[in-house]
């Protein structure tokens, strides 16, 4: 199989003629043909430099004797999409990206593929596509943005969102707000904290799909260009040895990635994406696995936004490999799984070293358990998710104030109508009801900026950006749009959250919930045609990764 299907034999004269129309020579067509899937564009800061990475990858492929052919996938910036109708797009785009890779790969019968990618949904979408094709594949991600710096203070994307709340609350002047806007995002790369984009880049490295360093080397660092060339060279070895994504993505490698996520305070979105990746691999991955691993694995790094460590700091400290080596000391990493280096995790870790104190020792963790918790109860029978990094409380109870969309909640917060001690409920924003399961970063940031971050809780069947911190509980399942208990809530219902007991419940009887739901009617879909309509009809629960059926 492979590219011989489209390049060899008398029946392929038309195919070779079309390849020659691209400028390819007989010599190039005699070599293994490597597809280079690149999400470069001019609309996402994390992607603006991927054309250079793509060129470096192609140089590496040619140096190792292959013929690279590059094509593009779509992508959207979650930050620019945040807080309006556009936020329905990113999770939907994950499926479109996976589909597009599957379609192009199927059409061209590449011998191998290199994936040049960055940012939240693009990275897992490409992994899903790679697994569907299951030909030798390797990834290089775009790398983190550097932190901004102004008046001796570090600035990152989450500060821009939080500054809006501070301004609305009179805690920040218009000039200060403008400075935050000007200096927070200094250039190319995925936003500097351990938000979803950098979390997934680290997950891809921890899974063994990218070369060591790919998850953390800054976007502007020349080491990333060199790594891209080595990535292009390495794909030829993977082709020759027929090492495929499904050889690398196993139940053990996924558990390794979860351990890395919970030890550094990664985004809760990693749950959705790792479950989707597992689904493409035919691996059963239950929500409880995340909780089980998080109970055992200590938090060793205080990454932004829950802490003050930027991804550039983690890179200087030894990166993902150093973190995995430290976890290995506690038996939290399976070292036998194969990676794209052609070696096992254990072999990769031989020369890894934790430099300085950014990565804590197992004997001196930030906290003895990891940073994800799966909550269940009569409000979320199938589960809900909270990221506990930086969380200052483990128990909360308050009266619900209920909104049927994100915009209503943002309006109420901006007008000062949300008070201390309340539980803000945003529903009908799940995978089906959204559709697309919008992130609530604008709302959570306004609350934090107004000084309410530790004084209110937020509960939603939508989800949160990796830049969110505090008592923010998402992925409530079943969602409101399918008649989950969250659809039965009314203003004033008392909600109790207990992180230690992994519990989230509303203080009303099962009979009252059933009575309210008996009067509930499924809302009309927000879209009647097109991609969002199809998505709303096919998407499953957040508790299963919001995959399509």
């Amino acid at each position: 199989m492979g590219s011989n299907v489209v390049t060899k034999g008398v029946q392929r004269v038309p195919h070779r003629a079309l390849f020659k129309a691209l400028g390819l020579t007989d010599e190039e067509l005699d070599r293994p043909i490597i597809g280079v899937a690149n999400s470069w564009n001019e609309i996402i800061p994390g992607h603006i430099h991927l054309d250079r990475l793509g060129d470096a990858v192609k140089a590496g492929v040619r140096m190792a004797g292959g013929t690279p052919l590059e094509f593009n996938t779509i992508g959207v910036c979650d930050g620019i999409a945040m807080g309006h109708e556009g936020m329905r797009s990113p999770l939907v785009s994950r499926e479109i990206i996976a589909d597009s890779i599957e379609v192009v790969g199927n059409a061209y019968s590449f011998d191998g593929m290199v994936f040049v990618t960055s940012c939240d949904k693009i990275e897992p979408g490409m992994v899903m596509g790679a697994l569907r094709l299951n030909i030798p594949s390797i990834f290089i991600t775009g790398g983190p943005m550097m932190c901004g710096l102004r008046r001796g203070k570090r600035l990152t994307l989450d500060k821009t969102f939080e500054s809006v709340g501070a301004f609305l609350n009179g805690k920040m002047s218009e000039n200060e707000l403008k400075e935050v806007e000007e200096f927070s995002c200094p250039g190319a790369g995925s936003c500097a904290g351990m938000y979803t984009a950098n979390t997934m880049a680290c997950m891809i490295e921890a899974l063994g799909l990218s070369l060591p360093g790919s998850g953390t080397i800054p976007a502007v660092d020349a080491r990333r260009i060199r790594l891209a060339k080595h990535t292009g060279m390495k794909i030829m070895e993977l082709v020759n040895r027929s090492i495929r994504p499904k050889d690398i993505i196993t139940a053990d490698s996924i558990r390794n990635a979860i351990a890395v996520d919970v030890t550094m305070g990664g985004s809760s979105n990693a749950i959705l994406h790792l479950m989707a990746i597992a689904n493409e691999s035919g691996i059963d991955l239950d929500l409880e696995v995340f909780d089980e691993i998080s109970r055992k694995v200590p938090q060793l790094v205080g990454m932004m936004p829950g802490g003050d460590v930027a991804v550039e700091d983690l890179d200087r400290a030894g990166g993902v490999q150093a973190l995995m080596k430290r976890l290995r000391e506690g038996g939290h990493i399976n070292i036998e799984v194969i990676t794209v280096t052609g070696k096992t995790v254990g072999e990769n870790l031989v020369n890894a070293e934790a430099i300085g104190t950014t990565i804590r020792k197992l004997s001196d963790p930030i906290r003895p358990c990891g940073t994800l918790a799966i909550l269940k109860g009569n409000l979320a029978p199938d589960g809900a998710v909270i990221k506990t990094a930086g969380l200052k409380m483990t128990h909360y109870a308050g009266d619900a104030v209920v909104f049927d969309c994100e915009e209503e909640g943002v309006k109420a917060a901006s007008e000062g109508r949300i008070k201390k001690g309340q539980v803000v409920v945003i529903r009908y924003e799940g995978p089906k009801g959204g559709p697309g399961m919008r992130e609530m970063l604008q709302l959570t940031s306004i609350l934090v900026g107004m000084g309410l971050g530790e004084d209110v809780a937020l509960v939603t069947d939508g989800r949160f950006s990796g830049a969110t911190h505090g008592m923010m509980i998402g992925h409530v399942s079943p969602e409101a749009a399918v008649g989950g208990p969250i659809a039965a809530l009314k203003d004033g219902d008392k909600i109790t959250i207990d992180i230690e007991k992994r519990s989230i419940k509303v203080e009303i009887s099962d009979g009252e919930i059933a009575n309210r739901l008996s009067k509930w009617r499924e809302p009309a879909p927000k879209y009647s045609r097109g991609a969002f309509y199809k998505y709303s009809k096919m998407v499953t629960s957040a508790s299963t990764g919001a995959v399509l059926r």
Side-chain angles (χ1 to χ4, degrees):
M1 294 295 288
S3 64
N4 286 349
V5 170
V6 291
T7 61
K8 295 293 190 285
V10 68
Q11 300 294 335
R12 297 298 179 248
V13 167
H15 304 67
R16 289 193 294 274
L18 289 166
F19 278 121
K20 288 180 176 180
L22 302 175
L24 296 180
T25 65
D26 287 327
E27 292 81 2
E28 287 173 302
L29 291 175
D30 282 338
R31 297 172 178 174
I33 295 180
I34 305 300
V36 179
N38 195 336
S39 53
W40 173 83
N41 57 56
E42 294 182 336
I43 59 175
I44 309 176
H47 290 62
I48 192 66
H49 63 305
L50 295 189
D51 52 345
R52 284 194 68 201
L53 284 190
D55 288 343
V57 163
K58 290 183 288 185
V61 171
R62 293 188 187 103
M63 282 190 281
T67 298
L69 293 177
E70 187 174 9
F71 66 96
N72 286 92
T73 68
I74 65 165
V76 294
C77 176
D78 285 38
I80 293 172
M82 196 73 67
H84 57 91
E85 189 73 11
M87 194 62 222
R88 305 195 194 283
S89 297
L91 196 57
V92 175
S93 78
R94 186 184 75 178
E95 311 306 319
I96 295 171
I97 290 161
D99 289 349
S100 69
I101 286 165
E102 179 184 9
V103 167
V104 174
N106 178 267
Y108 279 79
S109 294
F110 298 120
D111 295 290
M113 288 191 69
V114 181
F115 295 87
V116 184
T117 181
S118 185
C119 295
D120 301 41
K121 313 307 168 293
I122 299 98
E123 291 161 332
M126 284 201 179
V127 176
M128 292 161 67
L131 287 163
R132 292 179 191 176
L133 294 171
N134 200 35
I135 61 174
S137 299
I138 189 170
F139 284 69
I140 180 161
T141 48
M145 185 184 292
M146 302 297 283
C147 290
L149 187 66
R150 183 64 171 170
R151 300 184 188 274
K153 292 184 178 180
R154 273 177 152 185
L155 295 172
T156 52
L157 181 69
D158 60 305
K159 301 305 179 188
T160 66
F161 281 92
E162 291 173 11
S163 68
V164 175
F167 175 73
L168 292 174
N169 204 34
K171 296 180 178 179
M172 180 177 284
S173 71
E174 191 170 346
N175 285 339
E176 290 172 321
L177 188 66
K178 185 66 174 177
E179 284 199 358
V180 170
E181 177 184 321
E182 289 290 333
F183 292 94
S184 292
C185 298
S190 45
C191 302
M194 193 53 71
Y195 316 139
T196 307
N198 288 318
T199 297
M200 291 313 302
C202 291
M203 294 297 93
I204 288 170
E205 183 177 340
L207 286 166
L209 288 172
S210 61
L211 295 178
S214 183
T216 59
I217 295 172
V220 296
D221 193 318
R223 286 181 295 149
R224 186 158 292 280
I225 298 294
R226 300 198 295 272
L227 190 70
K229 292 178 181 177
H230 285 296
T231 298
M233 288 186 268
K234 182 60 70 172
I235 187 58
M236 300 306 296
E237 178 186 333
L238 297 175
V239 168
N240 291 334
R241 294 179 59 182
S242 194
I243 297 175
R244 301 167 185 263
K246 287 187 178 179
D247 299 322
I248 294 169
I249 302 297
T250 65
D252 287 327
S253 65
I254 288 173
R255 290 180 72 94
N256 283 351
I258 295 171
V260 171
D261 182 57
V262 301
T263 200
M264 65 182 182
S267 169
S268 58
N269 282 316
I271 294 175
L272 287 177
H273 300 322
L274 289 174
M275 293 184 88
I277 289 166
N279 177 68
E280 297 292 350
S281 304
I283 297 167
D284 290 329
L285 181 60
D286 190 89
L287 268 177
E288 296 299 333
V289 174
F290 292 87
D291 201 71
E292 169 209 332
I293 293 173
S294 193
R295 286 180 183 271
K296 295 177 181 176
V297 175
Q299 183 186 359
L300 298 181
V301 188
M303 299 298 302
M304 296 175 175
D308 58 3
V309 178
V311 183
E312 63 192 77
D313 303 326
L314 179 60
D315 182 63
R316 296 184 188 107
V320 171
Q321 300 299 305
L323 189 53
M324 292 180 75
K325 189 167 188 176
R326 190 136 284 173
L327 289 176
R328 174 193 171 185
E329 295 169 7
H332 302 303
I333 292 291
N334 184 310
I335 63 172
E336 301 301 326
V337 293
I338 194 73
T339 73
V340 290
T341 64
K343 301 176 182 179
T344 65
V345 167
E347 291 172 319
N348 290 343
L349 296 181
V350 168
N351 295 318
E353 178 187 0
I355 301 167
T357 59
T358 297
I359 301 173
R360 297 277 197 99
K361 295 180 179 179
L362 291 170
S363 60
D364 181 34
I366 294 172
R367 51 190 292 165
C369 57
T371 59
L372 287 176
I374 307 302
L375 313 181
K376 290 190 174 182
N378 66 352
L379 185 51
D382 294 341
V385 174
I386 183 171
K387 182 173 77 172
T388 59
L391 191 64
K392 295 181 173 62
M393 52 186 163
T394 60
H395 186 276
Y396 188 94
D399 292 341
V401 52
V402 183
F403 304 99
D404 285 343
C405 67
E406 180 190 10
E407 285 85 353
E408 291 180 4
V410 169
K411 187 173 186 292
S414 300
E415 294 173 354
R417 290 189 282 118
I418 292 175
K419 307 299 182 184
K420 290 183 179 181
Q422 292 182 321
V423 178
V424 181
V425 176
I426 309 289
R427 62 188 177 190
Y428 296 104
E429 291 287 8
K432 178 182 176 68
M437 204 178 179
R438 287 195 287 183
E439 293 180 348
M440 304 288 155
L441 179 58
Q442 183 176 30
L443 175 56
T444 60
S445 297
I446 288 173
L447 294 173
V448 170
M450 296 180 80
L452 292 172
E454 301 298 331
D455 296 311
V456 298
L458 198 155
V459 175
T460 180
D461 53 8
R463 59 199 174 93
F464 298 115
S465 164
T468 297
H469 55 99
M471 187 63 82
M472 312 297 178
I473 296 158
H475 305 209
V476 170
S477 302
E479 61 175 292
V482 298
I486 192 172
L489 291 179
K490 295 180 179 179
D491 287 347
D493 287 341
K494 185 177 181 181
I495 294 174
T496 303
I497 301 157
D498 192 319
I499 306 301
E500 296 298 328
K501 293 181 179 179
R502 301 297 200 261
S503 170
I504 179 169
K505 60 185 179 179
V506 55
E507 303 294 343
I508 56 177
S509 68
D510 292 344
E512 176 61 17
I513 293 174
N515 179 55
R516 293 184 189 181
L517 290 178
S518 70
K519 302 169 186 174
W520 174 85
R521 296 293 179 267
E522 182 178 353
K526 294 184 176 77
Y527 297 85
S528 59
R529 62 179 62 194
F532 296 99
Y533 174 75
K534 288 186 289 185
Y535 184 89
S536 69
K537 291 298 183 184
M538 298 172 66
V539 71
T540 62
S541 170
S543 64
T544 56
V547 297
L548 302 188
R549 293 278 189 258

